[in-house]
Amino acid sequence: MEAVVHEGWGKPYEEGETPDESVLPAGWKEGLPSTGGGWAKQSVIIRSAFLLDGELKEQYRAQPGDFTTTWISRQDVGHFIAERLVNEWKTFGGNIVTVGN
C-alpha cells in the first residue's frame, strides 16, 4: 500500500522496498490516475499503534516517519484527527503519520 501512496504523492519509494508481483501485480502504476504523480498530495495516511478502547488522554506522539510508538486509544486517534491534523496540516499533510505512545 505504501508504494502506491508514495506514487500518488510523487515521492520515490525506498529503493528495493517495492513489493514483488505477488503483492503488486506487474503494471500496477498504469492503473493509477495519469496526473504524472502527485494525485494524492492532499491526503494523510495515519498509522496508529496498537488500538485500545481506553479513555481520551490527549497525551500521545504524532510524527511523520516515527515508527516507534506502541499503543493508543481510539479516542486519542479521533482527537488527533479533529484537533491536531486539521490545525497542523502544514506539518502532517502529504505524509504518513504515526500516532501513539
Side-chain angles (χ1 to χ4, degrees), residues 30-42:
E30 284 104 42
L32 298 175
S34 59
T35 60
W39 48 266
K41 287 182 181 176
Q42 295 302 315

Side-chain angles (χ1 to χ4, degrees), residues 42 44 64 84-95 97:
Q42 295 302 315
V44 172
R84 293 198 52 205
L85 178 63
V86 172
N87 294 321
E88 300 174 45
W89 184 257
K90 288 184 179 184
T91 299
F92 300 119
N95 283 297
V97 180

Side-chain angles (χ1 to χ4, degrees), residues 18-61:
T18 301
D20 63 27
E21 290 186 10
S22 67
V23 177
L24 286 173
W28 64 270
K29 289 183 183 181
E30 284 104 42
L32 298 175
S34 59
T35 60
W39 48 266
K41 287 182 181 176
Q42 295 302 315
S43 63
V44 172
I45 302 296
I46 298 173
R47 293 179 73 169
S48 57
F50 185 70
L51 289 171
L52 302 175
D53 288 327
E55 296 179 17
L56 176 66
K57 295 183 179 179
E58 298 181 29
Q59 296 176 345
Y60 52 83
R61 292 192 329 259

